[in-house]
Amino acid sequence: MWVASEEVVMTVRVFDAHLHIIDPRFPLVPNNGYVPEAFTVDDYVARTDEFVARDGACEGARAFEVAGGAVVSGSFQKFDQTYLMDALERLGPGFVGVTQVPVDVSDAEVLRLHEAGVRAVRFNVARGGSAGLPDMDRLARRVFDLAGWHAEFYIDARSLDGDLGRRIAALPKASVDHLGMHRDGLPHLLRLVESGVMVKATGFGRVELDPAQVVTAIVDVNPRALMVGTDLPSTRAQRPFTVTDFDLLCDTLDASKLDGVFWRNACEFYGVRGFQGGG
């Protein structure tokens, strides 16, 4: 939704489809020796509040109001759920969780996490530690059948030309992080989009591609397949997120597509109650 203010600032409502909360009160597990700095719920709220309080002096300036989002478990959080339960409770009903679970997770645990607001399982292929391909397939299908969860993949799209890509395309509901990471994987990524897989326009500071080119290609195939996110706090990225990444998307895409890309597509994909349909 676009709202014109008296200062000629256009406010874009955002569902932040990819953010991380790093709270040292809860367990952190080194990944290849890396442990991130703290980025708490308070830090996230303060950072996103800055998106609204932008200088509106110049004509065409935009503000971005984050009104919901998906808290995504990182490799350094492994299977810990305590930080995620705390974050979702503090962020409120517009936010959902994307977590990592072992392949032998019990049905009762999946349902407990669902009740707390978790809506997806994540497979961190790029950072290692994910289950093998057959186990990933079985787990993704089991949590979908049990709780309606989709599967999210942090993966280099160049690896999607083969059995992995075919399996992801065949899943009942799935998404790919960070635009697939590399320009050479775009043809494989677009084949997934054709099959119904969603893609997150996130992490522009960690990808090897032209974000404008890739988002345009995705929207040309299926405008409902694209979601946006901050990737805050941008752990291990060469460049952290800045609000100009959102400006780039606004400048690239047709205005008629922006409410879907920034808000409605993700709300519908995550099934956020009371947020569907841009209402």
Side-chain angles (χ1 to χ4, degrees):
M1 175 181 290
W2 294 81
V3 180
S5 78
E6 294 180 357
E7 297 180 321
V8 200
V9 176
M10 302 305 294
T11 299
V12 185
R13 184 171 47 177
V14 180
F15 187 97
D16 183 355
H18 198 98
L19 67 108
H20 299 284
I21 298 297
I22 303 159
D23 192 327
R25 295 180 300 152
F26 303 101
L28 292 170
V29 179
N31 177 264
N32 295 323
Y34 175 78
V35 178
E37 296 181 359
F39 188 75
T40 65
V41 168
D42 289 342
D43 294 329
Y44 175 75
V45 171
R47 182 74 177 88
T48 53
D49 281 350
E50 296 174 1
F51 303 168
V52 178
R54 299 180 78 191
D55 182 3
C58 62
E59 185 175 357
R62 306 182 187 95
F64 297 91
E65 179 185 4
V66 175
V71 182
V72 178
S73 290
S75 59
F76 40 78
Q77 283 152 330
K78 202 169 172 61
F79 301 137
D80 174 60
Q81 309 298 339
T82 56
Y83 96 92
L84 184 56
M85 300 300 96
D86 179 80
L88 293 178
E89 182 177 358
R90 295 178 64 196
L91 285 166
F95 288 80
V96 298
V98 178
T99 197
Q100 300 169 141
V101 293
V103 295
D104 59 353
V105 62
S106 69
D107 288 358
E109 175 67 355
V110 171
L111 294 174
R112 181 185 76 87
L113 295 173
H114 184 80
E115 183 66 23
V118 176
R119 294 295 180 266
V121 61
R122 190 186 197 208
F123 298 108
N124 197 328
V125 180
R127 295 289 181 197
S130 288
L133 186 54
D135 283 338
M136 281 195 291
D137 188 86
R138 283 192 293 270
L139 179 58
R141 293 179 180 278
R142 183 161 74 90
V143 297
F144 177 82
D145 291 341
L146 184 63
W149 288 9
H150 63 267
E152 301 201 354
F153 292 86
Y154 180 16
I155 193 167
D156 187 322
R158 291 175 293 181
S159 66
L160 295 172
D161 185 22
D163 192 30
L164 177 57
R166 288 189 290 272
R167 287 189 183 237
I168 293 175
L171 289 176
K173 194 175 181 182
S175 68
V176 173
D177 295 345
H178 308 319
L179 296 174
M181 300 293 293
H182 199 283
R183 65 181 69 85
D184 293 345
L186 181 57
H188 314 318
L189 183 69
L190 293 180
R191 281 196 288 273
L192 291 188
V193 172
E194 289 175 348
S195 73
V197 172
M198 303 285 285
V199 179
K200 295 184 182 183
T202 54
F204 293 178
R206 66 173 77 249
V207 299
E208 296 181 67
L209 49 79
D210 177 354
Q213 177 188 19
V214 175
V215 300
T216 299
I218 292 168
V219 169
D220 284 347
V221 173
N222 180 5
R224 300 185 67 177
L226 191 64
M227 307 178 286
V228 306
T230 62
D231 189 37
L232 284 170
S234 306
T235 57
R236 290 189 274 196
Q238 293 183 355
R239 173 183 66 75
F241 170 85
T242 72
V243 73
T244 57
D245 293 342
F246 281 173
D247 285 325
L248 173 64
L249 293 171
C250 290
D251 292 337
T252 300
L253 299 172
D254 186 270
S256 65
K257 302 293 195 299
L258 294 179
D259 185 56
V261 170
F262 275 88
W263 179 256
R264 190 174 57 254
N265 294 349
C267 286
E268 293 177 351
F269 187 61
Y270 285 98
V272 180
R273 293 178 182 176
F275 285 73
Q276 293 97 325

